[in-house]
């Protein structure tokens, strides 16, 4: 079925009853000439618009945005309701422009406040709106003509936007019931007509507007389904700028629009500030597909509050200095018409004229750091302005990216070969002969292919360093058959043989292909490697345990082999203790050799060398007959008295090295007094060399006498 969405037809029903002539009570300053006013002239009082004027302006702004972005296939029909229904235009493309609507509204004029309110009703306009939705548009007629005998497959949907001043919630329910009954009646008429179409879906949007400062008598209500054909929602909005904001939000919701704010637009401020400029912002509306790249990349930080209030969000893009010509061709992935939110403001007008003169503006994403990213471009084509989406990622015209440039950084150990084999095993082929399931139902080939793909990917690591069993040739017989939907006795036997071979490998303490990428040292011990391998193998088997009963037998064999006897566990513990002891010993020897051994050995070597030199010198002086004995020479320490560092076959501790060093230093510092060594009864005779030289003898009174 070719479905025309609700946005294809939009009917505006605006209340033209006397109460719509009431003031909205939102004042507008009319007399703006505050300066240079002649004294004695009373300033003009502020004015306020009527509810009718606010409704017409807001609805025209809705139509303007729709026509700017969707000049074709989005149609509007305008109806004014008072004592009767006045249809201002038709579904033809010639009537779809603001000039026609504004001229028709000017002919209608404002509501008459002195008219009889009992003769006026919004119901006339709602009935006419349903009747209008049943009429065929040019696009629907073209689609029905192409389908010929299948013309009934063309859908008919529409939306009714009613702006009125309701009395209460019960009044709103009465309007909804009226629309529902009218749709039911006109669908019966359309079923027997070639020029009418039945309404398959209709959205009713009731907008209750009231003056500023008054309390609302109608409560808001979200979209509610009243029947399979009709849905309704109610909005209670104050008149003036609040009504304009509400319709601005609704047009975005109805036509899937999004907002983009262009910031830092340089603009001259005026003649009084010559050669100066200021930066302004302009908000644009366009189709939301222009932001699809932001949503995919997750750049939610680009969003912010719109100038229309907290209920709208906008994407902020920064103005780039435009180029002087438009010759450069950018790689563009989409182009969408735009419409300024505030079309009459000076910044919007200047930006529009700038673009219509043939200039292009590049827009970049605001970033706190890094290089700037040009994501969009504004340019005009044939008098219409488009927002171009530029490719900020890799182009499809470039070479395909390397498989190592995946998510999470650069990965270089993907299982590329295994993945190629995986794709070869899961290719789709023509399925000619029908097959039936166990319950007798026909098996759908596509569903069977999806089921097989799901089984093969229940456990399939993508990176070599994240798996052990898929790097082992010994596990291939089990891993290739465990993914089957059912196993044969031979498959079960092969799986059991594979498990027994792994047990034998563990008993022989064979090495496993454990990846050490990103780890320091030798990596996990052999027992830890096998524990990782058994856990991964159990994960693989458990992922397919529900396939059949024979899969359960494979798991039972695996669990039985994993539960080792007590003597085996004790042997493993002793082996682990011995390995830990050897590791500690090797570590101590290594630390000793690298840090302390060379320093202490150099110090001891220097002490021994100096001791040998002093001993040789003392022996030479003593054996010489002509050389007198030095008067104050300290006795030398014999080499035998020097404490020798005991050489140990094993590693020497740091405490032993330090104690030997301290003892050696203290033995050299402490020397015995020479006089005490030569004394008799602890009495030493002084000046013996003088007595020997002069042949004199010292008396007790201190006088010398010659002998």
């Amino acid at each position: 079925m070719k479905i025309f969405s609700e946005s294809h037809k939009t009917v505006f029903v605006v209340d033209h009853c006397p109460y719509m002539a009431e003031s909205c009570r939102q004042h507008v300053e009319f007399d703006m000439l505050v300066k240079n006013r002649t004294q004695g002239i009373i300033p003009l009082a502020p004015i306020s618009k009527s509810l009718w004027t606010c409704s017409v302006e807001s609805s025209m702004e809705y139509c303007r945005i729709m026509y700017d972005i969707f000049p074709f296939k989005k149609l509007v029909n305008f109806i004014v309701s008072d004592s009767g229904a006045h249809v201002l235009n038709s579904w033809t493309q010639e009537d779809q422009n603001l000039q026609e609507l504004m001229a028709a509204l000017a002919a209608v004029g404002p509501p008459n406040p002195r008219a009889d309110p009992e003769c006026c009703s919004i119901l006339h306009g709602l009935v006419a709106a349903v009747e209008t939705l049943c009429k065929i548009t040019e696009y629907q007629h073209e689609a029905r003509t192409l389908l010929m005998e299948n013309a009934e497959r063309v859908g008919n949907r529409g939306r009714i936007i009613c702006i009125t001043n309701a009395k209460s919630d019960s009044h709103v329910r009465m309007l909804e019931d009226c629309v529902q009954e009218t749709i039911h009646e006109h669908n019966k008429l359309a079923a027997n007509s070639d020029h009418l179409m039945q309404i398959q879906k209709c959205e009713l949007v009731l907008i209750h507007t009231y003056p500023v400062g008054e309390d609302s008598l109608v409560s808001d209500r979200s979209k509610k389904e009243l029947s399979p054909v009709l849905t309704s929602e109610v909005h209670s909005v104050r008149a003036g700028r609040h009504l304009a904001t509400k319709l601005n939000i609704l047009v975005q919701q109805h036509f899937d629009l999004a907002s983009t704010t262009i910031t830092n637009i340089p603009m001259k401020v005026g003649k009084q500030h010559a050669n100066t400029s200021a930066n302004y912002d302009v908000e644009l509306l366009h189709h939301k597909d222009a932001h699809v790249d932001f949503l995919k990349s997750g750049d939610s930080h680009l969003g912010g509050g719109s100038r229309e209030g907290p209920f709208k969000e906008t994407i902020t893009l920064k103005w780039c200095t435009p180029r002087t010509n438009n010759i450069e061709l950018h790689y563009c992935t989409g182009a969408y018409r735009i419409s300024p939110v505030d079309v009459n403001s000076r910044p919007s007008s200047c930006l529009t004229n700038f673009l219509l003169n043939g200039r292009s503006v590049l827009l970049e994403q605001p970033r706190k750091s890094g290089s700037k990213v040009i994501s969009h471009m504004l340019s005009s084509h044939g008098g219409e302005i488009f927002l171009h989406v530029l490719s900020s990622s890799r182009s499809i015209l470039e070479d395909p990216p390397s498989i190592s440039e995946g998510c999470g950084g650069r990965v270089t150990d993907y299982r590329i070969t295994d993945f190629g084999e995986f794709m070869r095993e899961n290719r789709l082929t023509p399925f000619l002969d029908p097959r039936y399931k166990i319950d007798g139902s026909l098996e759908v080939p596509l569903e069977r292919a999806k089921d097989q793909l799901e089984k093969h990917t229940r456990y399939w690591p993508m990176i070599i360093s994240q798996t052990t069993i898929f790097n082992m040739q010994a596990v291939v017989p089990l891993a290739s058959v465990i993914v089957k939907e059912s196993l044969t006795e031979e498959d079960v036997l092969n799986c059991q043989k594979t498990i027994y071979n792994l047990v034998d490998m563990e008993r022989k303490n064979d090495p496993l292909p454990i990846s050490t990428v990103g780890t320091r040292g030798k990596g996990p011990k052999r027992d830890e490697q096998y524990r990782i391998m058994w856990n991964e193998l159990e994960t693989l088997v458990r992922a397919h345990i529900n396939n059949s009963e024979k899969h359960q037998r494979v798991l039972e064999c695996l669990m039985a082999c994993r539960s080792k006897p007590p003597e085996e566990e004790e042997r493993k513990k002793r082996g682990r203790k011995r390995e830990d002891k050897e590791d500690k010993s090797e570590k101590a020897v290594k630390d000793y050799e690298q840090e302390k051994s060379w320093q202490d050995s150099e110090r001891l070597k220097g002490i021994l060398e100096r001791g040998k030199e002093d001993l040789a010198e003392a022996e030479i002086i003593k054996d010489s007959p002509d050389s007198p004995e030095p008067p104050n020479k300290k006795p030398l320490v014999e080499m035998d008295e020097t404490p020798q560092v005991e050489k140990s076959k094993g590693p020497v501790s740091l405490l032993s090295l330090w104690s030997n060093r301290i003892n050696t230093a203290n033995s050299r510092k402490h020397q015995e007094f020479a006089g005490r060594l030569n004394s008799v009864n602890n009495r030493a005779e002084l000046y013996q060399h003088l007595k020997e030289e002069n042949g004199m003898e010292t008396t007790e009174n201190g006088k010398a006498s010659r002998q």
Side-chain angles (χ1 to χ4, degrees), residues 560-620:
C561 293
R562 288 203 64 179
S563 57
K564 300 182 179 67
E567 56 272 12
E568 182 71 14
E569 290 294 333
E570 185 65 25
R571 186 182 65 82
K572 290 291 183 181
K573 289 182 180 179
R574 290 197 300 269
R576 283 194 294 268
K577 290 182 180 179
R578 183 171 60 254
E579 290 179 0
D580 293 342
K581 186 175 181 180
E582 291 177 357
D583 291 343
K584 292 180 181 179
S585 177
E586 292 176 1
K587 184 177 180 181
V589 172
K590 186 177 180 180
D591 294 342
Y592 161 71
E593 291 176 352
Q594 291 182 349
E595 297 179 4
K596 294 295 181 182
S597 178
W598 67 274
Q599 297 180 359
D600 294 322
S601 62
E602 288 295 330
R603 292 172 181 168
L604 292 176
K605 183 178 179 181
I607 293 172
L608 294 177
E609 291 294 335
R610 286 194 300 270
K612 289 180 181 180
E613 293 175 359
D614 294 344
L615 180 60
E617 183 180 356
E619 290 179 352
I620 293 173

Side-chain angles (χ1 to χ4, degrees), residues 273-309:
H273 303 283
N275 299 327
T276 60
S277 63
N279 293 333
Y280 293 91
D281 300 343
V282 174
E283 184 178 358
L284 306 176
L285 294 180
H286 50 80
H287 197 271
K288 67 178 182 181
D289 286 349
H291 291 167
V292 67
D293 289 341
F294 292 147
L295 301 178
K296 289 181 180 179
S297 61
D299 288 338
S300 58
H301 63 279
L302 297 176
S306 170
R307 59 180 298 176
E308 298 296 337

Side-chain angles (χ1 to χ4, degrees), residues 157-182:
R157 299 186 177 191
R159 179 181 293 112
I160 300 176
I161 302 177
C162 178
I163 304 178
T164 184
N165 182 267
K167 298 179 176 63
S168 61
D169 290 336
S170 59
H171 186 205
V172 171
R173 286 192 293 270
M174 185 267 293
L175 298 178
E176 294 173 343
D177 295 338
C178 175
V179 174
Q180 185 174 353
E181 294 176 2
T182 307

Side-chain angles (χ1 to χ4, degrees), residues 1 81 232 303 386 467 494 650 684:
M1 175 182 290
S81 179
S232 174
F386 290 83
T467 180
N494 291 334

